[in-house]
């Protein structure tokens, strides 16, 4: 079945049977000005807490795939492992080749939203002025960066770091937040939203930094006087596991879609690892033992 599907799908078509020059933007050595500027901006902003994400909208069917060849982290585009919860929360569809294919949702109603900030969505490249895509934007909600030969690039100045240290937490129902888009009135830089209450009193602030970041392993170093939470703004999925100083610890679902680990006082190393076989077996066993 797979061989037949690939044979049929890979024949020349409206998306694949065009002149090679059409796909120049996918070439790792491309000189395309839009890609060059996005790479420059994300490289300049990267730090031991920041890994900015970008969106590429309306430039054509193949453009979202440029994120792969240029190592740009894009929350949209094709992904066979995209979670249903993520799709519902963000309004993400299969493609954003046309401006009108950009979806929004109750939880992500605009680029001026808590979820856009938590995703670290800092740069939006659009083939049309952005207010034609997000009609709820007000002056100053995003910053115009540049106009290229392809379109327009904007910056979301409120985009949050990839890793944060929260010294407080609040409990809220994630289903309700996803349905109505109403978040608890807290600062996400200091307070994490969990789906269960935390019995600990407020703590003094701490810090967290990324030591290693790869597709299947993320290592974070934290330091705090009273403990708290290391919050990683990558999508929660049950095949991710975590350790604190090589001792396994639960991966908490945080801020509706993301990951967190409860941290004791002091200096610690948190390691997240993606273990799909172990995770799948664990899920199957949990279903069989119900």
């Amino acid at each position: 079945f797979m061989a037949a599907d690939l044979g049929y799908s890979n024949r020349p078509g409206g998306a694949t049977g065009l002149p090679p020059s059409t796909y120049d933007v996918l070439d790792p050595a491309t000189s395309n000005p839009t890609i060059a500027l996005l790479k420059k901006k994300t490289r300049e902003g990267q730090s031991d807490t920041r890994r900015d994400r970008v969106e590429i909208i309306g430039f054509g069917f193949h453009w979202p795939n440029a994120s792969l060849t240029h190592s740009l982290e894009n929350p949209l585009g094709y992904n066979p492992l995209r979670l249903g919860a993520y799709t519902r929360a963000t309004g993400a569809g299969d493609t954003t080749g046309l401006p009108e294919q950009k979806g929004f949702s109750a939880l992500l109603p605009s680029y001026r939203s808590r979820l856009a900030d938590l995703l670290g969505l800092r740069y939006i490249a659009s083939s049309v002025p952005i207010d034609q895509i997000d009609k709820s934007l007000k002056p100053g909600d995003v910053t115009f960066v540049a106009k290229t030969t392809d379109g327009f690039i904007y910056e979301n100045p409120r985009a949050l770091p990839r890793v944060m240290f929260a010294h407080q937490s609040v409990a809220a129902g994630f289903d309700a937040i996803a349905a109505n888009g109403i978040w608890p009135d807290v600062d996400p830089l200091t307070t994490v939203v969990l789906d269960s209450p935390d019995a600990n009193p407020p703590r003094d602030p701490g810090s967290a930094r990324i030591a290693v970041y790869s597709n299947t392993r993320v290592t974070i170093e934290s330091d705090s006087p009273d403990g708290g939470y290391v919050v990683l703004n990558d999508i929660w999925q049950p095949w991710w596991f975590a350790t604190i100083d090589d001792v396994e610890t639960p991966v908490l679902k945080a801020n509706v879609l993301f990951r967190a680990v409860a941290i004791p006082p002091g200096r610690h190393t948190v390691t997240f690892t993606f273990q799909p076989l172990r995770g799948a077996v664990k899920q199957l066993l949990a279903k069989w033992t119900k």
Side-chain angles (χ1 to χ4, degrees), residues 1-270:
F1 177 82
M2 183 178 291
D5 181 60
L6 288 173
Y8 175 82
S9 301
N10 285 342
R11 66 181 182 175
T16 59
L18 302 175
S21 59
T22 305
Y23 309 105
D24 171 73
V25 70
L26 303 180
D27 188 337
T30 184
S31 58
N32 179 273
T34 301
I35 293 297
L37 186 54
L38 289 174
K39 291 171 71 173
K40 178 177 181 290
K41 288 291 186 181
T42 53
R43 186 170 58 247
E44 289 174 348
Q46 188 165 315
S47 70
D48 59 3
T49 60
R50 269 179 62 178
R51 292 182 63 91
D52 295 331
R53 289 187 167 102
V54 307
E55 279 193 1
I56 301 174
I57 302 168
F59 295 110
F61 180 81
H62 60 285
W63 265 76
N65 296 317
S67 303
L68 297 175
T69 54
H70 300 290
S71 299
L72 294 167
E73 296 188 59
N74 187 344
L76 299 178
Y78 285 117
N79 182 349
L81 298 180
R82 187 175 66 212
L83 303 179
Y86 177 81
T87 299
R88 292 188 294 272
T90 62
D94 286 335
T95 183
T96 53
L98 300 173
E100 56 267 29
Q101 290 175 322
K102 166 62 181 174
F104 292 99
S105 66
L107 194 59
L108 205 162
S110 168
Y111 290 118
R112 179 65 188 258
S113 65
R114 173 73 62 87
L115 185 55
D117 299 344
L118 286 167
L119 283 167
L121 179 53
R122 186 168 296 274
Y123 298 104
I124 303 105
S126 169
S127 63
V128 298
I130 198 169
D131 58 3
Q132 294 183 24
I133 294 176
D134 184 353
K135 295 179 172 57
S136 67
L137 285 176
K138 297 178 175 60
D141 283 350
V142 295
T143 304
F144 175 74
V145 174
K147 185 179 187 307
T148 70
T149 55
D150 305 297
F152 307 84
I153 297 178
Y154 301 87
E155 180 178 1
N156 169 22
R158 297 168 304 280
L160 291 167
R162 184 65 57 90
V163 65
M164 307 183 295
F165 191 95
H167 59 276
Q168 300 180 78
S169 70
V170 296
F174 288 169
D175 289 342
I177 296 175
N180 59 37
I182 300 174
W183 293 83
D185 186 16
V186 297
D187 181 355
L189 284 170
T190 62
T191 305
V192 62
V193 181
L194 303 174
D195 58 1
S196 58
D198 177 4
N200 292 310
R203 311 167 176 93
D204 287 332
S207 64
R209 58 175 295 273
I210 298 171
V212 176
Y213 193 99
S214 68
N215 286 342
T216 58
R217 185 180 183 89
V218 181
T219 301
I220 298 168
E221 296 174 349
S222 72
D223 188 7
S224 63
D226 301 319
Y229 297 90
V230 166
V231 181
L232 178 64
N233 286 325
D234 281 340
I235 305 304
W236 182 92
Q237 205 268 358
W239 298 353
W240 280 94
F241 296 84
T243 61
I244 300 175
D245 302 329
D246 297 325
V247 177
E248 190 154 315
T249 190
V251 179
L252 305 176
K253 196 172 186 180
N255 295 328
V256 181
L257 285 180
F258 304 99
R259 302 179 222 155
V261 166
I263 296 291
R267 294 185 176 182
H268 300 282
T269 299
V270 179

Side-chain angles (χ1 to χ4, degrees), residues 238-239 278-290:
W239 298 353
R278 178 188 173 191
V281 169
K282 184 178 178 180
Q283 281 187 293
L284 289 172
L285 290 175
K287 287 183 178 182
W288 288 338
T289 56
K290 280 185 178 181

